[in-house]
Each structure stands twice: as structure tokens, then as C-alpha cells.
Amino acid sequence: MSTQADFTALRWQSHDGLTLEARDYAPATPSAEAPIMCIPGLTRSARDFDEVAPWLAKNGRRVIVVNLRGRGPSAYDPTGRSYKPATYVRDMQALLADQKLEAVHIIGTSLGGLVAMGMAASNIRQVASVVLNDIGPAVDPAGLKRIASYAGKTPPVATWADAVAYAKFTGEAAFPDFSDKDWKRLAKRTFRVGDDGAPAFDYDPKIFKPAPAFAIKLASFLLWRRFKHMARKRPTLVLRGAISDVLSNETVQQMHKAAPRLASKEIPHVGHAPTLDEAESRKILSAFFSLTP
């Protein structure tokens, strides 16, 4: 392990020999509570939780923020064939075993929420509670189309001004109220400094492979089963960006019917997905985890 800023870099081995990395934030005061595991979205890394993770730790929770394989400092799969939710679930289980953790609370953004459902389906005892950040068992086709328009593609980005422009181009519909400072922050979370000193995408382009229509339908059927299994047995909160094109309000209503004890909240003026840095998100997370706002 190595220490950086207010977290420790935690490394573990996957079942197929990749070295994966997470950020481990120690709680401000000792706690008997299970840690909170934060799992980012498809093209995202642990840096998406740069602000919310230290805040949770100051509230007395150990926080583990993962970099899925092929993202951030976690190793890339040279074949590209293992970038799928079932493998990510195995990686998370390997991390729990490495840290000798019986269970974790999970905050899963987008793909991270699908991984949480997979973990619950595989071993519900490892899941204490779940926050699904703008994701559900059904994904709006409009959101899939938008994500497919940029995920896995590498347009030329030569300067940090280019990186900021790219972040704004791909995210402006989701974050209409972002300031110039916000776009710069998002660019820093999206790109790393490449070997030549220029910004480089902080993920393996192989992570995204469009799925055929029949596979999407089958996945949705399985996800509904996994969601019901999880949300009926564990406290579950779904956050929806009020202008999200990935998680529709209709899907949230169907989720409530499938799991009557589900809690749901909307984050105003944002789409897919809330950054969790929003004041409203903090209030909601505070209530869910019984923290100080």
C-alpha cells in the first residue's frame, strides 16, 4: 500500500492475475459499521468520488473507492474480453476477500449499480445496503445511444483546453448549470496526463462493446430479477438525475412496484449521472447512511 493525500492506495489481485487498485479512506473516528464501497460508471474512475469519499470518511465511515479493471491505475486486460459485469463482480469479491470484509454498503454509479446488483445476486450477505446512482434494471435507449456515441472512441485531445471542451461536449446535456470551474474539474476526472504530457483518456478503449438488441432484452430480464432480489432484502435507495436520459421516471415507478420498500429521490437540474457533490445529494446520502449533512 502507498499513501496519497487523505487516502491509501489499496491493491489486490484478480482471479485472472490482474493487479487492481482502489482508494481506501480511513474513517475520522473508529467505526464498527461496514465500509462504504463506491463503484464508478463505465468510463469513469475513482476520481469521480474525490469530494464525496473524504466527506463520508469524515463522518466516521471507512470508504473504499474502486477503479474497475481497465480504468485509472488498475491493470488493463490485454485481450479486452473480460470487460463485463460478471467479471467486475468477481473482482469486487476478490477485494472483499483480500480485505477480510464480510459486507459493504455500496454506492454504484451507472455501471457501478449494475455491479452492485450482481454482487447481491451472487452473495446477498456481502451487501449491507445499496445506493443506485441513476441506474436501474432498464436503461433508456436514448441514453444508450448517447453513451455509445463516445465510449471507447478516442477523438484527438492535444491540450487541457481540448479536454475541457470534450468534457463539455459530452456532458453539457446532463449538467446545464456547470460553470467553467466545474468543466475543468470534470476534465481532470476524465483524463490523465499521458506519456507525452498531453491529456489521455483514463480508461482502456476496449471497455465498451455495443450489445445486440436480443442481448439487451435478456440483460434487462436478468437485471429485474437481480434488482428485486436485492431491493426486497436490503435497504436500497435510487437517485435519479431529474433530466436523466438513462433512468426514466417510468422505470423508477416500476422499481417501486417491484420493491415497495425502495427509497427514491430526484436530484434537480442534472442528468446522467449526479456527481454526488450536489448539496441535495449530500442531504439524501446523509439521511440514508445516518450521517451529519
Side-chain angles (χ1 to χ4, degrees), residues 89 93 96 101-103 106 116-128 229 234:
V89 169
Q93 291 173 330
L96 293 185
L101 296 171
E102 294 183 0
I106 303 174
M117 292 185 212
M119 292 174 66
S122 178
N123 187 349
I124 193 66
R125 292 188 298 275
Q126 292 183 327
V127 177
H229 173 71
R234 291 294 185 268

Side-chain angles (χ1 to χ4, degrees), residues 274-287:
T275 65
L276 305 182
D277 300 330
E278 304 92 358
E280 186 67 18
S281 291
R282 296 289 178 89
K283 286 171 56 180
I284 294 166
L285 292 176
S286 294

Side-chain angles (χ1 to χ4, degrees), residues 126-195:
Q126 292 183 327
V127 177
S129 71
V130 178
V131 177
L132 298 174
N133 185 19
D134 210 63
I135 193 66
V139 178
D140 192 306
L144 277 178
K145 183 178 180 180
R146 180 180 57 78
I147 292 169
S149 72
Y150 65 81
K153 300 175 182 178
T154 54
V157 176
T159 67
W160 281 104
D162 292 340
V164 172
Y166 176 86
K168 189 172 184 178
F169 174 75
T170 58
E172 194 166 25
F175 305 109
D177 295 340
F178 262 21
S179 65
D180 289 345
K181 181 179 178 181
D182 292 324
W183 290 120
K184 289 178 182 178
R185 179 180 60 178
L186 184 60
K188 291 291 186 181
R189 291 179 177 181
T190 304
F191 295 86
R192 60 178 171 80
V193 178
D195 295 337

